[in-house]
C-alpha cells in the first residue's frame, strides 16, 4: 500500500506513529518492485493541464492486515493534523496559509480491474494516444484502487492523470513537512493539540474522538471552493463538536459561556460570539444570513453607515478563536494526565482491577508490563505528592 500527500513536499523523513512520510525521490527501504510502483504512482499527479507535480510526499505500508489497518488509521489522523497545522489564518487578511485540499490524502492498493473503469468510450475523444496497458482476455488491466481522503474511490493505471479536487489551486514554495512539523512545539496554538494526539493511545477517551471530529469539521471550513455561508456552518459544527454542545434551549448562551471561559474576558469577543451563532442559525434555518462580516459596533446607537467596512468575515475570526479553544481543551487534558488526576480518583480496588486487566491482555509481555509500570509510576507519583503536601 502507498499513501501520497501530492501537494505537500518534505526535505526529509517525517515520522508519525506507524507512518514515515518521505520525499518521492527517497526509496529507502523499498524493494525493487515497490520502487517501480512508487515511480509510476508519483508520475500520475498533475497540477493542471500538462504540468506534472515533481515533489509529492509518500508513505509505504507492507502487505500485512494488522499493519495496514494501523497505517491507514495513523496516516488519516496525520492528514487532519497537517490540514489543521497549515490552516493558520493570516492576521491581516484572515485567509488560511493553505487550504484543506493541500493536505489531500491518496491511498493506493494494487488491483486488477476492467479497463472500462479508466477509459470512457462515449462522449469523449482522445487528446493523445492512450498509454494504458493492454487488457487480457478478461478485459482486465493491472493498476491501483485509489481512495481519496477516505471518502472517494477511483481507479488508476499507467497513463492515468490525477488533478486537484478543486478549481483554484496552487503549490506553496516555502512549505516543508519535516521542517514545519519540528516547529510545532514553538506554537502555543498547535503544540497542545499535537501533544494530545501524541499520547491518545495510552489514554483513549471520549475527548479524543470529539477533538478529531472537531478538527475534521474545522478543516472542511477552510476548503478552497467552500462558499462563505457553508464555511461558517462547518466551523460552527466544529465548535459544537469540540465543546460537546447539545442542541436545545439556550444553546447560544451555552456556546458563548463555554468559549468565553476558554479564551478569557476578551473585549468584543461576546459581540463576535453572538453575531457568529446568529448567522449560523439563520443559515441553517432560513438558508442565508443577514451578515457574514463582523460588526464591532454591535448595533450600537450612532454607528456610522459603513460600520462593518474593513473588518474580516465572522469565519476568519472564528478560525483564530477555534484554535485558541482547541489548545485550551487539549492543554487541560494534558495537565490532568501529568498530575495523575484520573488515578487520584480511583480506589485501590479499581486500580488493581486495571492492573489485572492490563496483564491479561493479548499484547506482547513487554507491552503489558510497560502498561502496568506506567500505572504504578503514576500511583507512586501521586502518593509522594500527597505525602509532601
Amino acid at each position: 500500500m502507498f499513501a501520497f500527500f501530492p501537494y505537500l513536499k518534505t526535505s526529509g523523513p517525517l515520522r508519525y506513529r506507524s507512518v514515515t512520510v518521505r520525499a518521492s525521490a527517497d526509496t529507502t527501504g523499498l524493494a525493487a518492485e515497490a520502487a517501480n510502483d512508487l515511480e509510476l504512482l508519483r508520475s500520475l499527479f498533475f497540477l493542471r493541464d500538462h504540468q506534472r507535480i515533481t515533489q509529492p510526499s509518500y508513505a509505504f505500508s507492507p502487505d500485512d492486515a494488522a499493519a495496514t489497518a494501523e497505517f491507514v488509521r495513523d496516516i488519516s489522523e496525520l492528514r487532519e493534523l497537517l490540514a489543521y497545522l497549515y490552516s493558520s489564518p493570516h492576521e491581516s487578511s484572515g485567509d488560511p496559509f493553505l487550504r484543506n485540499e493541500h493536505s489531500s490524502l491518496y491511498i493506493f492498493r494494487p488491483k486488477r480491474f476492467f479497463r472500462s473503469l479508466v477509459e470512457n468510450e462515449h462522449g469523449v475523444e482522445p487528446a493523445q494516444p492512450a498509454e494504458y496497458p493492454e487488457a487480457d482476455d478478461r478485459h482486465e488491466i493491472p493498476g491501483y484502487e485509489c481512495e481519496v481522503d477516505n471518502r472517494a474511490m477511483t481507479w488508476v493505471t499507467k497513463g492515468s492523470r490525477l488533478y486537484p479536487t478543486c478549481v483554484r489551486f496552487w503549490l506553496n514554495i516555502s512549505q516543508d513537512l519535516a521542517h514545519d512539523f519540528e516547529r510545532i512545539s514553538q506554537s502555543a496554538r498547535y503544540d497542545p493539540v499535537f501533544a494530545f494526539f501524541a499520547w491518545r493511545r495510552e489514554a483513549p477517551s471520549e475527548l479524543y474522538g470529539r477533538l478529531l471530529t472537531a478538527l475534521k469539521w474545522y478543516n472542511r471550513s477552510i476548503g478552497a471552493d467552500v462558499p462563505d455561508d457553508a464555511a461558517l456552518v462547518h466551523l460552527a459544527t466544529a465548535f459544537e463538536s469540540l465543546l460537546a454542545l447539545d442542541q436545545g434551549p439556550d444553546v447560544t448562551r451555552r456556546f458563548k459561556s463555554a468559549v468565553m471561559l476558554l479564551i478569557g474576558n476578551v473585549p468584543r469577543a461576546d459581540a463576535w460570539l453572538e453575531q457568529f451563532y446568529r448567522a449560523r442559525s439563520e443559515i441553517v434555518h432560513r438558508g442565508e444570513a443577514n451578515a457574514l462580516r463582523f460588526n464591532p459596533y454591535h448595533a450600537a446607537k450612532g454607528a456610522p453607515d459603513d460600520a462593518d467596512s474593513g473588518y474580516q468575515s465572522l469565519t476568519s475570526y472564528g478560525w483564530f478563536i477555534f484554535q485558541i479553544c482547541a489548545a485550551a481543551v487539549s492543554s487541560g487534558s494534558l495537565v490532568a494526565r501529568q498530575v495523575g488526576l484520573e488515578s487520584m480518583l480511583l480506589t485501590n480496588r479499581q486500580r488493581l482491577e486495571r492492573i489485572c486487566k492490563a496483564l491479561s491482555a493479548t499484547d506482547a509481555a513487554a507491552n503489558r508490563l510497560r502498561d502496568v509500570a506506567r500505572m504504578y509510576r503514576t500511583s507512586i507519583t501521586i502518593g509522594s505528592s500527597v505525602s509532601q503536601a
Side-chain angles (χ1 to χ4, degrees):
M1 177 188 293
F2 279 92
F4 276 80
F5 293 109
Y7 315 121
L8 298 177
K9 61 185 183 297
T10 185
S11 59
L14 166 63
R15 292 179 177 84
Y16 184 79
R17 299 195 176 279
S18 65
V19 173
T20 300
V21 180
R22 303 179 185 275
S24 56
D26 182 355
T27 59
T28 302
L30 293 183
E33 183 179 0
N36 291 335
D37 285 337
L38 171 62
E39 186 61 30
L40 190 156
L41 290 169
R42 67 177 291 196
S43 70
L44 303 184
F45 294 103
F46 287 74
L47 181 64
R48 60 178 64 87
D49 299 332
H50 308 294
Q51 301 174 11
R52 179 179 281 118
I53 295 173
T54 59
Q55 300 180 70
S57 300
Y58 82 97
F60 174 76
S61 174
D63 187 16
D64 175 81
T68 295
E70 182 181 25
F71 176 85
V72 171
R73 179 180 59 195
D74 290 344
I75 201 164
S76 298
E77 183 177 293
L78 177 60
R79 179 257 185 270
E80 299 303 334
L81 288 172
L82 290 177
Y84 185 65
L85 172 65
Y86 286 125
S87 72
S88 181
H90 192 277
E91 294 183 3
S92 299
S93 67
D95 293 329
F97 175 64
L98 295 179
R99 294 289 179 169
N100 187 35
E101 292 81 1
H102 283 91
S103 299
S104 294
L105 172 63
Y106 291 71
I107 295 179
F108 298 92
R109 297 176 177 85
K111 189 178 182 67
R112 294 189 68 86
F113 51 82
F114 293 118
R115 180 164 166 164
S116 58
L117 289 175
V118 296
E119 188 174 45
N120 202 327
E121 298 179 356
H122 306 285
V124 299
E125 62 178 10
Q128 61 185 41
E131 301 177 28
Y132 302 139
E134 290 296 326
D136 59 17
D137 55 357
R138 292 169 51 88
H139 306 290
E140 291 182 343
I141 59 174
Y144 307 87
E145 185 179 74
C146 175
E147 189 174 351
V148 186
D149 290 336
N150 297 316
R151 56 183 175 83
M153 187 71 71
T154 188
W155 294 264
V156 295
T157 187
K158 180 181 178 181
S160 297
R161 290 189 177 188
L162 292 170
Y163 291 95
T165 58
C166 58
V167 176
R168 298 173 295 152
F169 205 72
W170 69 96
L171 300 180
N172 184 269
I173 296 175
S174 64
Q175 176 275 319
D176 180 350
L177 281 178
H179 179 262
D180 299 335
F181 215 76
E182 287 183 356
R183 297 174 56 193
I184 290 171
S185 61
Q186 303 173 16
S187 171
R189 278 187 286 171
Y190 298 114
D191 183 53
V193 175
F194 278 71
F196 173 85
F197 279 97
W199 59 268
R200 52 92 171 166
R201 280 188 199 153
E202 297 179 12
S205 66
E206 177 268 343
L207 178 59
Y208 162 72
R210 183 152 51 88
L211 184 55
L212 184 59
T213 299
L215 292 190
K216 290 178 179 179
W217 281 104
Y218 171 93
N219 291 336
R220 289 172 187 171
S221 75
I222 61 167
D225 291 336
V226 177
D228 292 342
D229 51 0
L232 189 145
V233 173
H234 290 338
L235 183 57
T237 306
F239 272 110
E240 292 169 356
S241 301
L242 178 68
L243 304 174
L245 291 177
D246 294 325
Q247 295 300 312
D250 294 330
V251 63
T252 304
R253 179 186 60 78
R254 288 186 283 116
F255 170 70
K256 290 174 62 176
S257 299
V259 173
M260 292 297 287
L261 180 65
L262 293 173
I263 69 175
N265 188 21
V266 179
R268 289 173 297 284
D270 58 336
W272 174 86
L273 286 163
E274 185 171 330
Q275 293 173 43
F276 175 81
Y277 215 79
R278 183 194 305 131
R280 175 261 181 207
S281 299
E282 290 172 348
I283 295 169
V284 169
H285 299 294
R286 211 175 61 201
E288 61 179 356
N290 290 330
L292 292 174
R293 295 178 68 85
F294 175 57
N295 180 358
Y297 291 92
H298 198 42
K301 293 183 178 180
D305 294 336
D306 60 347
D308 63 340
S309 63
Y311 288 88
Q312 299 172 14
S313 68
L314 291 166
T315 303
S316 61
Y317 288 111
W319 289 328
F320 280 109
I321 295 173
F322 178 89
Q323 289 181 348
I324 298 170
C325 291
V329 170
S330 301
S331 295
S333 182
L334 287 169
V335 173
R337 175 176 181 265
Q338 289 168 359
V339 302
L341 179 60
E342 181 182 6
S343 186
M344 288 181 187
L345 303 175
L346 291 175
T347 65
N348 287 334
R349 178 173 180 173
Q350 291 172 325
R351 188 173 292 110
L352 287 172
E353 288 174 349
R354 289 194 171 194
I355 292 174
C356 292
K357 183 178 180 180
L359 288 175
S360 62
T362 58
D363 294 350
N367 293 337
R368 284 180 279 167
L369 290 173
R370 190 180 302 113
D371 290 340
V372 172
R374 187 181 300 114
M375 296 178 193
Y376 183 69
R377 283 197 303 270
T378 303
S379 302
I380 292 296
T381 302
I382 294 167
S384 301
S385 301
V386 173
S387 298
Q388 292 172 4

